[in-house]
Amino acid sequence: MNNRRATHIVFFAVVAMGILTALGAIVMPMSSLERLAQFATAVGPIVIVGSAYFVIRQVQEAQATLRGQLFDATAGRMLDLSRLFVEHPDLRPYFYDGRDVPDETDSLRQRVLAAAELHVDYLDTELLRRKLFAPSLKELPGFEPWIRGLLRTSPAMCRILHNDKQLGEEAWYGEIHTLYSEVVGQGQAAWPAASRQSAAAP
């Protein structure tokens, strides 16, 4: 908002100076050639600043449009995650209550891991989006607190990230690993349980 106000002030200041210069050309006694040169001197800066002003406005409008599109995409995917728990409430404890992934004989296991992968995909994409489009998304709250909270209560997500990290250079995820390593380093990761026990040990 401050940048927009400063742009308006500069634009109107240049226009005012141009008008005063043009009036001077009319009032002051001078030859036709001198008067023409004076008008050119007055109009030139107005044209340049006016063109710059409209370019800046177009850039601002483009940023506003991009911000709206990014926000809609984020909100849409968050709604999908919320809908997942509404349609499958049995999955929620594996993300918010610390319940570990079912064993291999349980048919629920693959659904839990698939939902965990969906969460990690979304959150990693959002972190990357915030990094690439920082100027457009700087006014929106960050996802870091939510991600840290999930990594403390969702063994399934921790398992996904642990296995991905073991791939080294072939790892699929990028941005979210920084937060994952932070939570693991603090001994607060939901899985393995040993990471939390080690933090409590004297």
Side-chain angles (χ1 to χ4, degrees):
M1 184 62 68
N2 290 335
N3 291 337
R4 183 174 296 181
R5 185 179 296 113
T7 301
H8 290 165
I9 292 173
V10 171
F11 174 73
F12 289 117
V14 172
V15 170
M17 291 178 61
I19 292 174
L20 290 175
T21 303
L23 290 175
I26 296 173
V27 175
M28 296 291 291
M30 59 180 65
S31 66
S32 299
L33 186 58
E34 290 174 333
R35 186 171 284 109
L36 180 61
Q38 190 79 0
F39 271 112
T41 302
V43 173
I46 295 176
V47 172
I48 294 173
V49 173
S51 299
Y53 174 79
F54 286 112
V55 169
I56 291 172
R57 287 301 304 272
Q58 288 178 341
V59 171
Q60 291 172 342
E61 291 175 3
Q63 288 180 337
T65 300
L66 176 61
R67 185 182 298 110
Q69 292 173 343
L70 293 173
F71 178 80
D72 288 345
T74 296
R77 295 188 67 186
M78 286 186 69
L79 182 62
D80 289 339
L81 293 183
S82 298
R83 187 182 297 115
L84 176 68
F85 292 133
V86 171
E87 296 175 354
H88 304 281
D90 55 324
L91 295 178
R92 187 177 178 83
Y94 297 97
F95 292 87
Y96 292 99
D97 295 339
R99 187 178 298 179
D100 202 355
V101 178
D103 60 41
E104 296 183 0
T105 61
D106 194 325
S107 60
L108 183 60
R109 178 183 179 86
Q110 295 306 318
R111 287 203 294 133
V112 171
L113 291 175
E117 189 170 352
L118 181 65
H119 274 72
V120 174
D121 283 344
Y122 169 67
L123 294 172
D124 188 64
T125 300
E126 282 303 317
L127 289 174
L128 181 60
R129 191 196 306 266
R130 298 301 175 94
K131 181 178 179 179
L132 295 178
F133 301 102
S136 297
L137 298 175
K138 62 182 179 181
E139 298 176 0
L140 297 180
F143 276 68
E144 289 80 0
W146 181 27
I147 295 173
R148 291 189 186 95
L150 282 170
L151 295 177
R152 295 183 184 112
T153 58
S154 177
M157 288 180 59
C158 289
R159 286 175 179 270
I160 294 291
L161 290 170
H162 173 80
N163 293 336
D164 185 67
K165 197 169 185 178
Q166 302 309 306
L167 298 176
E169 294 182 357
E170 297 182 357
W172 181 256
Y173 305 108
E175 302 301 318
I176 197 172
H177 274 301
T178 300
L179 295 178
Y180 172 64
S181 297
E182 176 187 320
V183 173
V184 170
Q186 294 171 348
Q188 298 178 344
W191 183 88
S195 66
R196 288 176 289 170
Q197 295 171 356
S198 63

